[in-house]
Amino acid sequence: MKNVKEIEIKIEGASWQNALDKAYKKKNKEVKIEGFRKGTAPKNIYIKKMGIESLYMDAVDFVMDEAYSKALDEAKVNPVIEPKLDITGINENEVSFKFTIIGKPEVKLGEYKNLGIKKETVKVSKGEINEEVEKIKNQLAEITPKTEGKVEIGNTAVIDFEGFVDGKALDGGTGENYPLVIGSNTFIPGFEDGVIGMSIGETKELNLKFPEDYVADLKGKDVKFNVTVREIKERIVPELSEEFYQDLGYENIKTEEEFIAEVKKVITERKQAEIDDAHLEKCLEKASENMTVEINPEIISEEVHRMIHQFEEQLSMQGIKLEDYAAITGMTHEKLHEQMEPEATKRVKYRYLLEAIADAEKIDFTEEEVNKKAEEMATNYGITVEELLKAYGSNEIVKYDMMMHGALEAVKNNN
C-alpha cells in the first residue's frame, strides 16, 4: 500500500559502542561475578564471563530513540499508528532495524453535500404524551405500608417462602422477608397469582409446576411452596397538581395544560435529537460510501484495541474486571476483537472522511478561537482550562475537535 514505508536503519560506530557501554554499566550492577562486588567487574571480565550478547537488548533500548528519529526523517511521513519494529541484525559492531511505518491513507472525497437524504418530521401523539405523564407520575410514586386489605396486582408483598420437590426442601427455594412485586413475573408461573388475595399474616400452600424450559433437573416437575405474607406495600401514584409540578422543578407551571405542553416539548426535543442523529448517521454512511480510501488492517486493529481499552474502563467503573467478564460471558479476546471490528472500521472511515471534508471546506480556527473554545468547555465541565488541556493533551486536540464538528455541520446542513 502507498502509505506503508519500510525503512532500514543501522546504528554503528560510536553510537553503538556508547550504547554497549551503558548496557554494561547497567547489567554489571545486577549480576555477581566471582571475585568482584556487584558493579565493580571490569568490562572485559564481565564480557568474558557473561558474553557480550547479554548486553545487546539493553543496548538496543539505548539507541531506539535515535533509530526511530532517523527512520521518521527518512520516511518523511507521520505514522498514524505505532510503527512495527524488527531487529534484522545485531553484533558487537552494529545493530540493524527495519521500521514498518504506516502513514495516513490517501482519501479521495466523493459527493458529501447533495446526498438527497430526507430528514423525518417530528410527530408526537397524545398516546406518547399520556404514556410519558404516567411514567413521570410513577417515578414520584410513594411506597407505603398497606394496613388493611389483600395483596393486589402492583402491590409489593413481603413474604417468607419455602419450596419442596419430591418431599425434599428445594435448594435455593427458601426466602425470608422477600419483597415480591406482584406483576413482575419474578417467580415461576402461578406463584404471583397464588399470592394475590392473601392477607397480612396469612400462610398458603401453592402447588405449582416448573415450566418445560426450566433448568434440566427441575423442568416440568411438581413443586410445593409454603408462603406467608408478612407485609403488604402499595404504590401511591400522585395526582397532577401545582405541588406535583414544583416537585419536578417546574416553578412556573401552574395548570395541567401547561404541564402537558411542557411534556410535549420535552418529548419533541428528545425525538428531534434522535431524528437528527439518525439523519447524520445516514449522511455519514452515504458520504463514506462515496469516498475512496484503502485502510490498512493494522489501523483497524489499533482502533479495535482502543475500543477494548475503553470497554475495559467502563467495566472497571462497575467494579468488573475484563477477565471476569470474559469468564462469565464466554467472550474471548479474539471474539471481542471480531465483534468490535465492524464498528471500528466505521469509526476510522468516518474520521478520515471528516478530516478530508475539513480540508476541502478549508475549516480552520485561529489560536484565539481555540483558546476561547477551551475556556467555554472548561466552564461547562466546571474545571479550569489547565485541567481541561491536561485531560485533552493539548490545544491542538481542542482545535481538531472543532474542525471535526465543523466538518459534521458541512455534511448535515447540505442534505
Side-chain angles (χ1 to χ4, degrees):
M1 297 174 74
K2 291 181 180 179
N3 64 325
V4 179
K5 298 283 185 73
E6 290 188 348
I7 306 297
E8 298 276 355
I9 296 294
K10 184 181 289 186
I11 302 295
E12 56 188 344
S15 290
W16 183 236
Q17 294 308 315
N18 184 48
L20 288 172
D21 283 340
K22 288 180 179 178
Y24 150 69
K25 290 173 183 175
K26 178 187 174 195
K27 298 291 285 186
N28 198 29
K29 293 176 182 177
E30 299 171 357
V31 298
K32 177 73 171 69
I33 294 178
E34 189 176 350
F36 299 91
R37 297 191 310 277
K38 274 188 179 182
T40 63
K43 186 177 178 180
N44 64 323
I45 299 297
Y46 172 91
I47 291 174
K48 185 176 180 180
K49 292 290 185 180
M50 306 302 297
I52 194 169
E53 296 82 6
S54 66
L55 303 177
Y56 287 165
M57 287 303 99
D58 285 293
V60 164
D61 290 339
F62 288 122
V63 298
M64 186 58 65
D65 287 346
E66 179 187 351
Y68 184 40
S69 179
K70 286 183 175 181
L72 290 181
D73 287 343
E74 188 173 327
K76 294 180 172 59
V77 64
N78 290 322
V80 294
I81 61 172
E82 192 72 27
K84 180 185 175 186
L85 169 66
D86 292 306
I87 299 174
T88 56
I90 190 167
N91 57 47
E92 59 187 295
N93 299 314
E94 62 187 29
V95 58
S96 300
F97 301 102
K98 183 174 79 171
F99 289 90
T100 303
I101 301 175
I102 298 177
K104 182 178 176 180
E106 181 183 356
V107 177
K108 291 183 181 178
L109 277 177
E111 184 59 69
Y112 62 89
K113 289 185 176 180
N114 303 308
L115 301 174
I117 298 173
K118 300 290 184 183
K119 186 186 291 189
E120 293 180 32
T121 303
V122 176
K123 295 178 182 178
V124 180
S125 67
K126 286 185 178 179
E128 289 175 305
I129 295 172
N130 291 336
E131 185 179 336
E132 186 71 13
V133 169
E134 289 304 312
K135 180 181 176 183
I136 294 170
K137 287 168 67 177
N138 277 298
Q139 286 173 347
L140 291 185
E142 293 183 10
I143 308 297
T144 59
K146 187 175 178 180
T147 55
E148 297 181 354
K150 301 178 183 297
V151 176
E152 301 175 11
I153 292 179
N155 289 168
T156 296
V158 181
I159 61 172
D160 294 344
F161 63 92
E162 187 175 11
F164 297 89
V165 174
D166 298 331
K168 297 179 181 179
L170 175 63
D171 186 27
T174 302
E176 293 183 356
N177 294 315
Y178 183 89
L180 175 63
V181 178
I182 306 301
S184 64
N185 299 316
T186 305
F187 283 23
I188 64 172
F191 191 99
E192 292 177 23
D193 291 338
V195 176
I196 292 174
M198 291 180 68
S199 304
I200 296 173
E202 181 181 350
T203 298
K204 188 176 181 181
E205 183 179 292
L206 305 180
N207 292 293
L208 306 173
K209 188 182 290 287
F210 283 109
E212 293 297 331
D213 59 353
Y214 210 67
V215 293
D217 57 338
L218 292 176
K219 64 180 181 180
K221 282 196 170 186
D222 293 328
V223 57
K224 180 182 77 173
F225 284 100
N226 293 328
V227 181
T228 301
V229 175
R230 296 298 181 191
E231 189 179 0
I232 305 173
K233 297 180 180 181
E234 60 182 338
R235 300 176 78 253
I236 306 299
V237 179
E239 296 296 324
L240 298 182
S241 65
E242 193 170 333
E243 182 183 354
F244 175 79
Y245 310 140
Q246 288 179 349
D247 287 343
L248 289 170
Y250 296 129
E251 297 293 336
N252 297 324
I253 292 179
K254 308 295 181 185
T255 67
E256 182 175 337
E257 289 74 19
E258 291 173 338
F259 176 63
I260 295 298
E262 180 63 28
V263 170
K264 183 178 181 180
K265 177 187 173 187
V266 170
I267 295 174
T268 301
E269 290 174 348
R270 183 171 67 225
K271 292 184 77 172
Q272 185 65 62
E274 291 170 355
I275 287 173
D276 290 345
D277 288 345
H279 177 257
L280 177 58
E281 176 65 26
K282 289 177 182 177
C283 291
L284 290 171
E285 184 178 356
K286 184 65 177 176
S288 68
E289 289 172 359
N290 291 343
M291 78 173 177
T292 302
V293 62
E294 189 177 3
I295 301 174
N296 312 67
E298 293 89 347
I299 296 177
I300 303 297
S301 184
E302 182 89 358
E303 184 66 24
V304 171
H305 288 303
R306 187 180 295 112
M307 290 171 62
I308 291 175
H309 181 66
Q310 290 172 345
F311 181 60
E312 187 173 11
E313 287 183 337
Q314 291 169 1
L315 289 175
S316 179
M317 291 173 67
Q318 301 172 43
I320 304 171
K321 293 181 179 179
L322 184 61
E323 52 266 33
D324 294 335
Y325 170 84
I328 294 168
T329 62
M331 180 68 73
T332 64
H333 185 84
E334 290 74 21
K335 285 182 181 177
L336 190 59
H337 193 288
E338 183 180 344
Q339 182 178 299
M340 289 185 171
E341 197 165 297
E343 176 64 22
T345 302
K346 184 177 77 171
R347 287 187 185 187
V348 171
K349 277 188 176 180
Y350 286 2
R351 182 161 69 237
Y352 289 138
L353 169 71
L354 293 173
E355 287 176 357
I357 290 173
D359 286 341
E361 295 285 326
K362 294 181 172 53
I363 297 171
D364 200 5
F365 300 93
T366 65
E367 184 178 350
E368 184 181 351
E369 289 172 320
V370 175
N371 289 338
K372 184 179 179 183
K373 182 64 176 179
E375 289 173 5
E376 289 176 4
M377 293 172 65
T379 300
N380 291 337
Y381 290 135
I383 59 178
T384 66
V385 173
E386 290 72 21
E387 289 171 328
L388 176 81
L389 295 181
K390 184 177 180 181
Y392 263 66
S394 71
N395 249 1
E396 285 301 310
I397 307 298
V398 177
K399 182 178 179 178
Y400 179 83
D401 279 356
M402 292 171 70
M403 292 171 66
M404 293 302 95
H405 280 101
L408 283 171
E409 293 297 319
V411 174
K412 69 181 183 183
N413 290 337
N414 285 281
N415 293 281

Coordinates of all heavy atoms in Angstrom, one line a residue, residues 16-25 28 33 36 39-52 54-55 92:
W16 N 26.8 3.0 18.8 CA 26.5 1.6 19.2 C 27.5 1.3 20.4 O 27.0 0.6 21.3 CB 26.7 0.7 18.1 CG 26.4 -0.8 18.4 CD1 27.2 -1.8 18.2 CD2 25.2 -1.3 19.0 NE1 26.6 -3.0 18.6 CE2 25.4 -2.7 19.1 CE3 24.0 -0.7 19.4 CZ2 24.4 -3.5 19.7 CZ3 23.0 -1.6 20.0 CH2 23.2 -2.9 20.1
Q17 N 28.7 1.7 20.3 CA 29.7 1.4 21.3 C 29.3 2.1 22.6 O 29.4 1.5 23.7 CB 31.1 1.8 20.9 CG 31.7 1.0 19.8 CD 31.6 -0.5 20.0 OE1 31.9 -1.0 21.1 NE2 31.1 -1.3 19.0
N18 N 28.8 3.3 22.5 CA 28.3 4.0 23.7 C 27.1 3.3 24.3 O 27.0 3.2 25.6 CB 28.0 5.5 23.3 CG 27.6 6.3 24.5 OD1 28.3 6.3 25.5 ND2 26.4 7.0 24.4
A19 N 26.3 2.8 23.5 CA 25.1 2.1 24.0 C 25.5 0.8 24.7 O 25.0 0.4 25.7 CB 24.1 1.7 22.8
L20 N 26.5 0.1 24.1 CA 27.0 -1.1 24.8 C 27.7 -0.8 26.1 O 27.5 -1.6 27.1 CB 28.0 -1.8 23.9 CG 27.5 -2.5 22.6 CD1 28.6 -3.0 21.7 CD2 26.6 -3.7 23.0
D21 N 28.4 0.3 26.2 CA 29.0 0.8 27.5 C 27.9 1.0 28.5 O 28.0 0.6 29.7 CB 29.8 2.0 27.3 CG 31.1 1.7 26.6 OD1 31.6 0.6 26.7 OD2 31.7 2.7 26.1
K22 N 26.8 1.7 28.1 CA 25.7 2.0 29.1 C 25.1 0.7 29.5 O 24.7 0.5 30.7 CB 24.7 2.9 28.4 CG 25.1 4.3 28.2 CD 24.0 5.1 27.5 CE 24.4 6.6 27.3 NZ 23.3 7.3 26.6
A23 N 24.9 -0.3 28.5 CA 24.3 -1.6 28.9 C 25.2 -2.3 29.9 O 24.7 -3.0 30.8 CB 24.1 -2.4 27.6
Y24 N 26.5 -2.3 29.6 CA 27.5 -3.0 30.6 C 27.3 -2.4 32.0 O 27.3 -3.1 33.0 CB 28.9 -2.8 30.0 CG 29.9 -2.8 31.1 CD1 30.2 -3.9 31.9 CD2 30.6 -1.6 31.4 CE1 31.2 -3.9 32.9 CE2 31.6 -1.5 32.4 CZ 31.8 -2.7 33.1 OH 32.8 -2.6 34.1
K25 N 27.3 -1.0 32.1 CA 27.2 -0.4 33.4 C 25.9 -0.8 34.1 O 25.9 -1.0 35.3 CB 27.3 1.1 33.3 CG 28.7 1.6 32.9 CD 28.7 3.1 32.6 CE 30.1 3.5 32.1 NZ 30.2 4.9 31.7
N28 N 26.1 -4.8 34.9 CA 27.2 -5.1 35.9 C 26.7 -4.9 37.3 O 27.2 -5.5 38.2 CB 28.4 -4.2 35.6 CG 29.7 -4.7 36.2 OD1 29.8 -5.9 36.4 ND2 30.6 -3.8 36.6
I33 N 29.7 -11.3 39.8 CA 30.8 -12.0 39.2 C 31.8 -12.4 40.2 O 32.3 -11.5 41.0 CB 31.4 -11.2 38.0 CG1 30.4 -11.0 36.9 CG2 32.7 -11.8 37.5 CD1 30.8 -10.1 35.8
F36 N 34.5 -10.2 42.5 CA 34.2 -8.8 42.4 C 32.8 -8.5 43.1 O 31.9 -9.3 43.1 CB 34.1 -8.3 40.9 CG 35.4 -8.5 40.2 CD1 35.6 -9.7 39.5 CD2 36.3 -7.5 40.2 CE1 36.8 -9.8 38.7 CE2 37.5 -7.6 39.5 CZ 37.7 -8.8 38.7
G39 N 28.9 -4.5 40.4 CA 29.1 -3.2 39.8 C 30.6 -2.9 39.6 O 30.9 -1.8 39.1
T40 N 31.5 -3.8 40.1 CA 32.9 -3.4 40.1 C 33.7 -4.2 39.1 O 34.9 -3.9 38.8 CB 33.5 -3.6 41.5 OG1 33.5 -5.0 41.8 CG2 32.8 -2.8 42.5
A41 N 33.1 -5.2 38.5 CA 33.9 -6.1 37.5 C 34.2 -5.2 36.3 O 33.4 -4.6 35.7 CB 33.0 -7.3 37.1
P42 N 35.5 -5.3 35.8 CA 35.9 -4.5 34.6 C 35.1 -5.1 33.4 O 34.6 -6.2 33.4 CB 37.4 -4.8 34.4 CG 37.8 -5.2 35.8 CD 36.6 -5.9 36.5
K43 N 34.9 -4.2 32.4 CA 34.1 -4.6 31.2 C 34.6 -5.9 30.6 O 33.8 -6.8 30.2 CB 34.1 -3.5 30.2 CG 33.1 -3.7 29.1 CD 33.0 -2.5 28.1 CE 32.1 -2.8 26.9 NZ 32.0 -1.6 26.0
N44 N 36.0 -6.0 30.4 CA 36.5 -7.2 29.7 C 36.2 -8.5 30.5 O 36.0 -9.5 29.9 CB 38.0 -7.0 29.4 CG 38.8 -6.9 30.7 OD1 38.4 -6.3 31.7 ND2 40.0 -7.5 30.7
I45 N 36.2 -8.4 31.8 CA 36.0 -9.5 32.7 C 34.5 -9.9 32.6 O 34.1 -11.0 32.5 CB 36.3 -9.2 34.2 CG1 37.8 -8.9 34.3 CG2 35.9 -10.4 35.0 CD1 38.7 -10.1 33.9
Y46 N 33.6 -8.8 32.6 CA 32.2 -9.1 32.5 C 31.9 -9.8 31.2 O 31.1 -10.8 31.2 CB 31.4 -7.7 32.6 CG 29.9 -7.9 32.3 CD1 29.0 -8.1 33.3 CD2 29.5 -7.9 31.0 CE1 27.7 -8.3 33.1 CE2 28.1 -8.1 30.7 CZ 27.2 -8.3 31.7 OH 25.9 -8.5 31.5
I47 N 32.4 -9.3 30.1 CA 32.1 -9.9 28.8 C 32.7 -11.3 28.7 O 32.0 -12.2 28.2 CB 32.7 -9.0 27.7 CG1 32.0 -7.7 27.6 CG2 32.7 -9.8 26.3 CD1 32.6 -6.7 26.6
K48 N 33.8 -11.6 29.3 CA 34.4 -12.9 29.3 C 33.5 -13.9 30.0 O 33.3 -15.0 29.6 CB 35.8 -12.9 29.9 CG 36.5 -14.2 29.9 CD 37.9 -14.1 30.4 CE 38.6 -15.5 30.4 NZ 40.0 -15.4 30.9
K49 N 32.9 -13.4 31.2 CA 32.1 -14.3 32.0 C 30.6 -14.4 31.5 O 30.0 -15.5 31.4 CB 32.0 -13.8 33.4 CG 33.3 -13.9 34.2 CD 33.7 -15.4 34.5 CE 34.9 -15.5 35.3 NZ 35.3 -16.9 35.6
M50 N 30.1 -13.3 31.0 CA 28.6 -13.2 30.7 C 28.4 -13.2 29.2 O 27.2 -13.5 28.8 CB 28.0 -12.0 31.3 CG 28.2 -11.8 32.8 SD 27.6 -13.2 33.8 CE 25.8 -13.1 33.4
G51 N 29.4 -12.9 28.4 CA 29.2 -12.8 27.0 C 28.6 -11.5 26.5 O 27.8 -10.9 27.2
I52 N 29.2 -10.9 25.5 CA 28.8 -9.6 25.0 C 27.3 -9.6 24.6 O 26.6 -8.6 24.6 CB 29.7 -9.1 23.9 CG1 29.4 -7.6 23.6 CG2 29.4 -9.9 22.6 CD1 30.4 -6.9 22.7
S54 N 24.9 -10.6 26.1 CA 24.0 -10.3 27.3 C 23.7 -8.8 27.3 O 22.8 -8.3 28.0 CB 24.6 -10.7 28.6 OG 25.8 -10.0 28.9
L55 N 24.5 -8.0 26.6 CA 24.3 -6.5 26.6 C 23.4 -6.0 25.4 O 23.0 -4.9 25.5 CB 25.7 -5.8 26.4 CG 26.8 -6.2 27.5 CD1 28.1 -5.5 27.1 CD2 26.3 -5.8 28.9
E92 N 28.6 -7.1 17.8 CA 29.3 -6.1 18.7 C 29.7 -4.8 18.0 O 30.0 -3.8 18.6 CB 30.6 -6.7 19.2 CG 31.6 -7.2 18.1 CD 32.7 -8.0 18.7 OE1 33.5 -7.4 19.5 OE2 32.8 -9.2 18.5

